[in-house]
Amino acid sequence: MKLYGSLMSPFVRMSMVTAMECGLAARVQLLPAPVKPDEVNEALTKLSPIAKVPVLETDHGHALFDSRVIMEYFTHVAGNKHLLPDDGVKRFRILTLLALSQGMADASVALRYEQATRPENARWPAFVERTKARLASCLKELETNWHADLNDVTLGSIATAAALAYIDVRDIVPGWRNNHMNLVQFADGFAKRESMTNTTPRP
């Protein structure tokens, strides 16, 4: 299987971490696929009309996207029922945490693009403030209502760890650690897992 993207992307990283947690690391080849907000990656577009990373090319030559689909596919291939159980209550609780954390990652990447990539004279202050508010809301929700869920290794906690690691490495929300002790404990503990240390982005 070929996974296209860079580990600097929280979505690529959470996909690769999932592969490792499923015991599929040896079967997944990570291939670079540069993506810029103002350019088209023709090679990636041939695999995915969305042309966003990650994209997974399966052993059968099929393209899967986005990260949520790829992460679930890895659990399916591995027969892993713990990261995403069949039980309805647990399954949809995990999928909701996954959606929350991916929404936080999406807002983080959008804010990074707006502040570091968009020309200064074209930046949109109202969008920046709305995105910051969205991030603050996600962090508060995770801190307050998801601490017990984050104690287990699931697709939801993997996505949360990858999103928080991206926020840290890009300094997206300066000082977030000062007011979210539960999340700090989770992030620092999860960061010690082999799947995380083996997927640390390299500049």
Side-chain angles (χ1 to χ4, degrees), residues 82-83 85 89-98 100-101 141-161 182-183 186 190:
H82 184 84
L83 294 181
V89 174
K90 292 180 180 178
R91 181 183 184 86
F92 288 103
R93 179 74 175 174
I94 289 169
L95 288 174
T96 302
L97 176 58
L98 175 61
L100 171 59
S101 297
E141 171 69 12
L142 287 166
E143 172 74 12
T144 305
N145 297 320
W146 293 89
H147 183 57
D149 301 83
L150 292 173
N151 285 330
D152 197 7
V153 180
T154 66
L155 294 191
S157 59
I158 289 171
T160 306
N182 288 333
L183 276 184
F186 161 73
F190 206 98

Side-chain angles (χ1 to χ4, degrees), residues 34-54:
V35 175
K36 297 181 180 180
D38 58 346
E39 295 180 10
V40 175
N41 183 316
E42 296 291 351
L44 199 62
T45 302
K46 290 179 181 179
L47 291 169
S48 164
I50 301 173
K52 295 174 66 175
V53 295

Side-chain angles (χ1 to χ4, degrees), residues 7-15 17 71 97-109 135 138-139 142 155-173 176 183 186-187 190 196:
L7 290 174
M8 185 58 75
S9 161
F11 304 104
V12 175
R13 191 178 186 189
M14 65 181 68
S15 298
V17 168
M71 292 166 77
L97 176 58
L98 175 61
L100 171 59
S101 297
Q102 290 197 321
M104 183 170 67
D106 187 62
S108 299
V109 172
L135 284 168
C138 289
L139 288 167
L142 287 166
L155 294 191
S157 59
I158 289 171
T160 306
L164 292 173
Y166 181 81
I167 287 173
D168 274 340
V169 76
R170 292 298 198 189
D171 198 23
I172 299 295
V173 186
W176 76 269
L183 276 184
F186 161 73
F190 206 98
M196 289 292 285

